[in-house]
Amino acid sequence: MDETLLDIGEVARQSGLAPSALRFYERKGLIEAVGRNGLRRTYLPATLERLALVTCARDAGFTLAEIAAFLRAGPSDAVLREGMAAKERAVDERIAQLTRLRDSLRHAVVCDHDPLVECPAFKQAIRRVSVP
Amino acid sequence: MDETLLDIGEVARQSGLAPSALRFYERKGLIEAVGRNGLRRTYLPATLERLALVTCARDAGFTLAEIAAFLRAGPSDAVLREGMAAKERAVDERIAQLTRLRDSLRHAVVCDHDPLVECPAFKQAIRRVSVP
DNA sequence: CTCCTACTTGAAGCGCGGTTCAAGTCAAGG
DNA sequence: CCTTGACTTGAACCGCGCTTCAAGTAGGAG
């Protein structure tokens, strides 16, 4: 066996993901095992990088299906870059929305109104969050 | 019947939420009907404001359970404001994370590397997203 | 050789945030 | 009166992102 191959337990430990999650990702087409050691899946070390990418994208709110599509976009980078540009715009919008929300919360924390829900500034701020 | 009361269909139309969602929210303790017109729930107009608040918080990534807890915190504003301050910090962190992600995507779109996944700057950027 | 351990599988289950369904009920209109 | 149409209910179902379970199996230790 190639010494550089990692079995599923090793990948689980190093990636911080559960083995069940790794198998789940495989079913979803996010990663692939290169072979087996007995029944145990073995992975290329590069899989760890791929998992970092997956985790990052997932944390960012991408669905696993979206991520799989990205990864499958394959070496034809044009599609990939186009998708990424679209996602950049989406993330930008999300940041703007969360920023408005944070500003509303910031006001809420220092606002004198009681009950807070009746504060005109708060009400207006809340409305701005979803409808900029 | 008080002319100012709205029945569920009216609230659904004005809030943009499905009647099923309104009933679901009621089970979760997010809203309350003040009475019935026949079988139809009737709501105070203030319910629309409350729903705007709920929608906003939900869009911001709060769970319905969290929102319900917030709303139940009741007139004792101290708890509410404390919770909001905590959420402001959480939202701020999320904004920072998304900002790092957007920067990675921004680089990815203009990066010359092929395959992109091998670009050192991209790899480093990806790592920074989840582990600032 | 046997035994232990760490994996393997498919299937079922969970929490979230709802929607959809079948069957029933009410108010208003003709 | 009876019909129509918008609601009512509880229960089932959905997609997501997994975890958990029971039953089975391979590799290595003794």
Side-chain angles (χ1 to χ4, degrees):
Chain A
M1 296 287 179
D2 189 335
E3 289 295 312
T4 69
L5 293 183
L6 309 166
D7 82 1
I8 191 171
E10 200 54 35
V11 172
R13 267 182 290 280
Q14 290 192 37
S15 68
L17 295 161
S20 61
L22 296 178
R23 287 191 287 267
F24 180 71
Y25 286 1
E26 186 175 317
R27 279 204 294 284
K28 294 286 176 176
L30 292 164
I31 55 172
E32 272 184 16
V34 282
R36 298 286 177 122
N37 175 20
L39 288 181
R40 294 176 201 177
R41 287 158 174 81
T42 52
Y43 297 95
L44 294 174
T47 303
L48 289 170
E49 261 168 34
R50 178 173 271 231
L51 284 170
L53 187 60
V54 169
T55 301
C56 162
R58 188 204 51 187
D59 287 352
F62 293 46
T63 68
L64 294 186
E66 282 174 329
I67 301 170
F70 262 75
L71 293 176
R72 264 196 289 274
S76 145
D77 263 8
V79 185
L80 187 67
R81 282 168 206 263
E82 173 50 39
M84 283 193 171
K87 278 303 170 182
E88 187 196 327
R89 290 189 290 275
V91 169
D92 244 354
E93 258 183 54
R94 181 82 180 132
I95 288 171
Q97 188 193 10
L98 286 178
T99 300
R100 291 190 298 272
L101 174 74
R102 188 202 50 197
D103 293 345
S104 301
L105 287 173
R106 191 163 281 171
H107 171 77
V109 172
V110 299
C111 173
D112 281 346
H113 261 87
D114 192 8
L116 178 61
V117 176
E118 293 308 321
C119 167
F122 181 69
K123 291 205 281 194
Q124 205 197 334
I126 285 301
R127 258 189 296 279
R128 271 204 322 260
V129 172
S130 298
V131 188
Chain B
M1 296 288 180
D2 189 336
E3 289 297 311
T4 69
L5 294 182
L6 309 167
D7 81 2
I8 191 170
E10 201 54 37
V11 173
R13 268 181 291 279
Q14 290 192 37
S15 68
L17 295 162
S20 62
L22 296 177
R23 288 190 288 269
F24 181 70
Y25 286 1
E26 186 176 315
R27 281 204 293 284
K28 294 284 176 177
L30 292 165
I31 57 171
E32 271 183 17
V34 282
R36 298 286 178 121
N37 175 20
L39 288 182
R40 295 173 201 179
R41 288 158 175 79
T42 53
Y43 297 95
L44 295 174
T47 302
L48 289 170
E49 261 167 33
R50 176 172 275 231
L51 285 171
L53 187 59
V54 169
T55 300
C56 162
R58 190 204 50 188
D59 287 353
F62 293 48
T63 67
L64 295 185
E66 281 174 331
I67 300 170
F70 262 76
L71 293 176
R72 264 197 288 274
S76 147
D77 263 9
V79 186
L80 187 68
R81 282 169 206 261
E82 172 51 38
M84 284 192 170
K87 278 303 170 184
E88 187 198 325
R89 289 189 291 274
V91 170
D92 242 354
E93 258 183 52
R94 182 83 181 129
I95 289 171
Q97 189 194 8
L98 286 178
T99 301
R100 290 191 298 272
L101 175 73
R102 187 203 49 199
D103 292 346
S104 302
L105 288 173
R106 191 163 283 171
H107 170 76
V109 173
V110 299
C111 174
D112 280 346
H113 261 87
D114 191 8
L116 178 60
V117 176
E118 293 308 319
C119 166
F122 180 69
K123 291 205 283 195
Q124 206 197 335
I126 285 301
R127 258 190 295 279
R128 271 204 322 261
V129 172
S130 298
V131 189

